[in-house]
Amino acid sequence: MKRIFLIVLDSFGIGAAPDAADFGDENTNTLGSVVKSEKFSCPNLQDLGLFNIDGVTCGTPADRPKGNYGRLREKSRGKDTIIGHWELAGIISNQAMPVFPDGFPERFVKEFEKRTGRKCICNKPYSGTEVIKKYGEEHLKTGDLILYTSADSVCQIAAHEAVVPVEQLYSYCETARELLTGDLAVGRVIARPFTGTSADNFKRTSNRHDFALSPPSPTMLDILEKHGKDVISIGKIRDIFNGKGITCSYKTTGNADGMDRIREISRKDFSGLCFLNLVDFDMLYGHRRDVDGYAQALTDFDRFLGGFMEDMKPDDLLMITADHGCDPAYMKTTDHTREDVPVLIYGKSIPGGRDYGVRDGFTCVANTVCRQSGLESDFYGGALEL
């Protein structure tokens, strides 16, 4: 295949993994929850074989699926964005990244305050929208940075754009990234700019930026780049891989912008991989436990998908998958959920209907991308046959 389009529906799980209980996520099922919403209508995903996947008991299977389909089971010890995407790109993480349920240690906070010249407030796990409601007005008065985390391996720093200019906030996050090493090496440091005048109308902006750890070993992106292929990042893919193996990148403001961008790129000539993350499923609907919002976002994607597939060229390949779950109906927490994820593959020049069953490891995606690009790879688990 000359061009491969890999789309990650961020957090679109299809049912609890066998080890979900180890993560406190028994009986979670993102797909099973959203399919019950009246906002859900995904005929194109259905035609590709979404409801034909092993273990999917909701929805109506397609009689003659247009795509190849399967269930991917994560091998890495984690359920976050970084670990999920790294595994899709070929890296299995045998050790979970550190989390800080009691906030970051004093040794980090003191040094961070010293280097930035600003005090920190909060320093505990918090919802991103609730933390600015709680601490935003204090931040406006004092200029203190809002430092917080979540159940994931992240350090998040929120600041009002009128108090701390966005580029300055990015610089503070780079400082935090330098300090968070060793036993403090969180997967991501995230800049969280916001605007508004009071707790009643504070709103996070699209100027979020992630400062991730670099992958510990080469990924499929490095292999493609090394052999002169285009590796085009859309959304937060570049941030997740800290720019490694990326030849061109585009930021997005959300799902709609991401879909517009990949449609635009599909009209251009390139040879290699176009890699898109659609973050709204996770950020706007999964974490906020908004079942209808999640369902509507899938419906919007499905509508886009129909036109995108129709416009594909004979030597194009489309792969759709996810990086973890975030069941919007699971009220035990507002965190990611340990789930299996789907893989759907479509191309005008390949027959559909192949059932991959349950595959151990997301890494088969990396091997498939490399093989279909005419390149060799030896990541765990082999490639998916077309």
Side-chain angles (χ1 to χ4, degrees):
M1 296 293 177
K2 180 180 180 183
R3 307 190 306 175
I4 300 173
F5 297 91
L6 175 56
I7 301 178
V8 176
L9 308 183
D10 200 309
S11 83
F12 188 45
I14 57 172
D19 61 357
D22 295 344
F23 295 81
D25 296 332
E26 304 95 326
N27 303 315
T28 52
N29 191 329
T30 300
L31 173 60
S33 294
V34 298
V35 78
K36 298 172 184 176
S37 169
E38 63 180 11
K39 303 290 186 181
F40 182 91
S41 176
C42 295
N44 292 303
L45 288 171
Q46 179 184 25
D47 285 347
L48 286 178
L50 177 63
F51 299 114
N52 296 75
I53 295 174
D54 277 8
V56 172
T57 57
C58 59
T60 304
D63 291 333
R64 300 179 65 183
K66 293 180 180 178
N68 298 339
Y69 52 90
R71 186 182 196 96
L72 304 186
R73 185 155 289 161
E74 190 168 14
K75 283 190 69 66
S76 297
R77 291 299 299 171
K79 55 175 181 176
D80 60 64
T81 296
I82 293 285
I83 283 180
H85 279 78
W86 283 5
E87 186 163 320
L88 288 169
I91 296 174
I92 293 171
S93 304
N94 294 316
Q95 184 173 348
M97 293 176 177
V99 294
F100 297 91
D102 300 315
F104 294 98
E106 186 177 2
R107 72 181 192 275
F108 162 73
V109 176
K110 283 189 172 181
E111 183 63 22
F112 181 66
E113 290 179 337
K114 177 181 176 182
R115 293 202 189 184
T116 61
R118 291 182 184 266
K119 294 292 185 181
C120 294
I121 51 178
C122 185
N123 190 26
K124 62 181 73 172
Y126 235 101
S127 156
T129 52
E130 292 302 316
V131 78
I132 57 177
K133 288 182 182 178
K134 173 80 173 183
Y135 294 96
E137 292 182 358
E138 180 180 353
H139 163 74
L140 284 179
K141 293 175 183 177
T142 64
D144 296 344
L145 300 173
I146 304 172
L147 172 70
Y148 67 107
T149 185
S150 73
D152 296 329
S153 184
V154 295
C155 170
Q156 305 190 75
I157 304 170
H160 195 286
E161 292 188 354
V163 176
V164 180
V166 170
E167 291 301 323
Q168 187 176 28
L169 178 59
Y170 292 169
S171 177
Y172 292 159
C173 288
E174 288 175 344
T175 297
R177 179 71 281 171
E178 292 172 8
L179 295 172
L180 292 168
T181 60
D183 62 336
L184 304 182
V186 294
R188 289 175 292 164
V189 176
I190 306 176
R192 292 288 197 178
F194 66 96
T195 57
T197 58
S198 71
D200 294 332
N201 59 25
F202 287 143
K203 182 179 181 181
R204 296 193 296 186
T205 74
S206 61
N207 290 320
R208 162 187 171 156
H209 188 69
D210 293 27
F211 298 81
L213 289 174
S214 292
S217 59
T219 70
M220 68 177 179
L221 309 182
D222 298 298
I223 293 173
L224 292 169
E225 182 193 32
K226 179 180 177 181
H227 289 86
K229 300 290 186 180
D230 296 305
V231 183
I232 303 168
S233 155
I234 307 177
K236 63 181 184 179
I237 297 298
R238 187 189 186 285
D239 293 345
I240 290 168
F241 292 92
N242 202 21
K244 287 194 63 182
I246 305 293
T247 63
C248 180
S249 64
Y250 300 90
K251 289 185 66 176
T252 63
T253 58
N255 281 8
D257 191 24
M259 291 184 285
D260 287 344
R261 180 66 70 174
I262 197 172
R263 186 185 292 111
E264 176 185 324
I265 291 170
S266 73
R267 295 168 181 155
K268 300 178 180 180
D269 184 48
F270 71 91
S271 178
L273 174 67
C274 182
F275 196 174
L276 166 66
N277 173 283
L278 294 176
V279 69
D280 287 355
F281 296 109
D282 184 56
M283 183 175 69
L284 297 185
Y285 309 115
H287 285 299
R288 298 184 188 180
R289 296 306 188 238
D290 181 353
V291 174
D292 286 342
Y294 204 122
Q296 183 63 59
L298 282 169
T299 297
D300 294 341
F301 171 74
D302 193 84
R303 189 177 299 116
F304 149 82
L305 185 60
F308 186 84
M309 290 165 58
E310 185 176 338
D311 293 341
M312 286 172 61
K313 297 179 180 180
D315 55 356
D316 287 345
L317 186 69
L318 171 64
M319 303 179 71
I320 300 170
T321 188
D323 52 343
H324 51 72
C326 196
D327 186 346
Y330 191 58
M331 295 304 172
K332 184 176 178 181
T333 73
T334 59
D335 304 321
H336 294 156
T337 46
R338 177 75 166 183
E339 298 183 51
D340 296 340
V341 302
V343 61
L344 302 169
I345 298 181
Y346 172 80
K348 289 185 175 180
S349 63
I350 63 173
R354 184 187 290 269
D355 182 357
Y356 297 125
V358 180
R359 295 293 294 244
D360 191 33
F362 296 176
T363 43
C364 60
V365 171
N367 285 319
T368 304
V369 168
C370 290
R371 175 181 291 183
Q372 294 305 318
S373 299
L375 304 173
E376 294 184 359
S377 64
D378 60 355
F379 302 118
Y380 174 86
L384 299 169
E385 299 293 335
L386 303 188

